[in-house]
């Protein structure tokens, strides 16, 4: 069965059919969210880990916004379908903060891939008295950039 799947994926690649057109989510590639931030995810390792880069379009800083590295892991799809969950961390190169994202990849009937995410940003603060303002919470929806 494994060799059959391999042959099917190879045939689809040769025909130029993207895995999303088959209903399977593929995190690798360039993604953009609703605020214009760009994220590039590199190929997954055998254990589901991946790396990439994030270029945010928004930041609460006066410093130059730099492309920042990310590290993540993909949970293999379960028996309920091909819509896997994932998480990744962005280490901002221009600010004293870190953001973690968790999400799920969805593929619609037309093959459009969407990453639905929630995130927590933790900013460094000078003392424990300031912890109340150290964490921001939000959501982002990413779509594949072709």
């Amino acid at each position: 069965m494994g060799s059959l799947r391999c042959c099917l994926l190879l045939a689809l690649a040769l025909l130029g059919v993207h895995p999303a057109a088959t209903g399977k989510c593929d995190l690798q590639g360039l993604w953009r969210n609703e605020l214009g931030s760009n994220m590039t995810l590199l190929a997954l390792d055998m254990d589901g880990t991946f790396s990439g880069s994030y270029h945010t379009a928004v930041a609460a800083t006066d410093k130059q916004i730099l492309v920042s590295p990310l590290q993540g892991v993909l949970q293999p799809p379960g028996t309920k379908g091909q819509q896997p969950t994932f998480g990744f961390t962005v280490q901002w190169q221009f600010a004293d903060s870190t953001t973690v994202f968790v999400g799920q990849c969805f593929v619609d009937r037309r093959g459009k891939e969407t990453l639905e995410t929630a995130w927590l940003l933790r900013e460094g603060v000078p003392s424990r008295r300031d912890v109340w303002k150290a964490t921001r919470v939000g959501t982002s929806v990413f779509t594949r950039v072709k």
Side-chain angles (χ1 to χ4, degrees):
M1 187 66 155
S3 61
L4 177 62
R5 182 173 183 225
C6 178
C7 290
L8 177 60
L9 288 174
L10 179 59
L12 290 173
L14 291 172
L15 292 171
V17 177
H18 192 277
T22 66
K24 181 181 178 194
C25 185
D26 179 17
L27 289 184
Q28 183 177 350
L30 178 61
W31 299 86
R32 182 171 294 125
N33 73 8
E34 69 281 1
L35 298 174
S37 297
N38 291 306
M39 173 174 66
T40 301
L41 301 179
L42 303 177
L44 274 72
D45 294 340
M46 294 300 285
D47 60 357
T49 61
F50 60 90
S51 61
S53 61
Y54 197 105
H55 189 234
T56 187
V58 295
T61 183
D62 296 346
K63 297 180 183 176
Q64 177 184 1
I65 296 174
L66 302 172
V67 175
S68 298
L70 66 82
Q71 295 287 323
V73 65
L74 173 72
Q75 179 68 31
T79 58
K80 293 183 180 181
Q82 303 273 337
Q83 323 268 4
T85 60
F86 59 88
F88 62 88
T89 302
V90 178
Q91 178 188 1
W92 301 112
Q93 298 297 292
F94 57 88
D96 184 20
S97 60
T98 302
T99 301
V100 294
F101 289 79
V102 293
Q104 187 171 4
C105 184
F106 294 97
V107 181
D108 70 14
R109 292 179 187 163
R110 289 175 266 171
K112 181 181 177 187
E113 297 163 291
T114 304
L115 305 179
E116 295 278 345
T117 68
W119 53 264
L120 291 171
L121 181 144
R122 178 62 184 232
E123 183 177 14
V125 291
S127 71
R128 290 187 69 204
R129 276 192 318 232
D130 298 315
V131 166
W132 66 272
K133 63 180 179 180
T135 304
R136 295 184 184 104
V137 180
T139 60
S140 287
V141 177
F142 294 87
T143 54
R144 183 175 296 283
V145 177
K146 305 248 181 201

